Amino acid sequence: MIKGISFLRPAGSAAAYDRLAGFFAALGFAPGKGWQEADSRGASFLAPLGNLEFVDGKFPSTADILVEVKSLDSVHQAAEAWLRAHPVPGQSGDASVSQLSPIAETHWRSRIFTVEPEPGFRFSFWAW
């Protein structure tokens, strides 16, 4: 029986790892067990439901990872506050907020936004 699914992606640097871990903690993900070894570490974030989908036909214009939430407006506000408080090095808080899209309607009758808390790491958050 399937127990869970994990998507692992190298952060690229210790600074990027710390930014991503801080971002997901600020949005309210439950912390997972994670791990620490001599030459690597992993931050784990849990959600109560996982979903693996394959698309045939029109693919939604989103990031590769979509996170369904209960209160999209609250998560959008938390993402904006985090980006202002933790700007990408070399940018102001206002410039970092440019990595956050406005909330938009989808063709599948939901609402969505996309955020890039660390360059190269895009996530879409959505709600019915």
Side-chain angles (χ1 to χ4, degrees):
M1 171 172 257
I2 303 300
K3 182 177 176 182
I5 185 167
S6 298
F7 293 93
L8 280 67
R9 190 162 170 209
S13 70
Y17 173 93
D18 291 338
R19 282 184 57 79
L20 291 165
F23 179 75
F24 281 98
L27 294 188
F29 275 78
K33 186 176 176 183
W35 47 273
Q36 177 94 32
E37 295 179 353
D39 59 350
S40 62
R41 60 185 172 155
S44 177
F45 296 93
L46 306 175
L49 175 69
N51 188 20
L52 177 60
E53 291 186 32
F54 299 99
V55 177
D56 180 31
K58 183 179 179 185
F59 194 81
S61 177
T62 63
D64 290 341
I65 298 176
L66 282 81
V67 180
E68 183 178 2
V69 299
K70 292 180 181 179
S71 175
L72 191 66
D73 295 303
S74 297
V75 174
H76 192 270
Q77 290 169 358
E80 182 176 359
W82 189 90
L83 288 169
R84 286 189 191 285
H86 303 90
V88 172
Q91 291 184 352
S92 69
D94 289 338
S96 287
V97 171
S98 70
Q99 301 302 323
L100 175 66
S101 75
I103 295 174
E105 299 291 325
T106 70
H107 66 276
W108 69 87
R109 297 181 301 281
S110 65
R111 299 168 62 229
I112 193 167
F113 74 86
T114 300
V115 61
E116 190 173 6
E118 174 68 17
F121 291 84
R122 290 175 25 105
F123 306 93
S124 292
F125 292 83
W126 70 280
W128 291 111

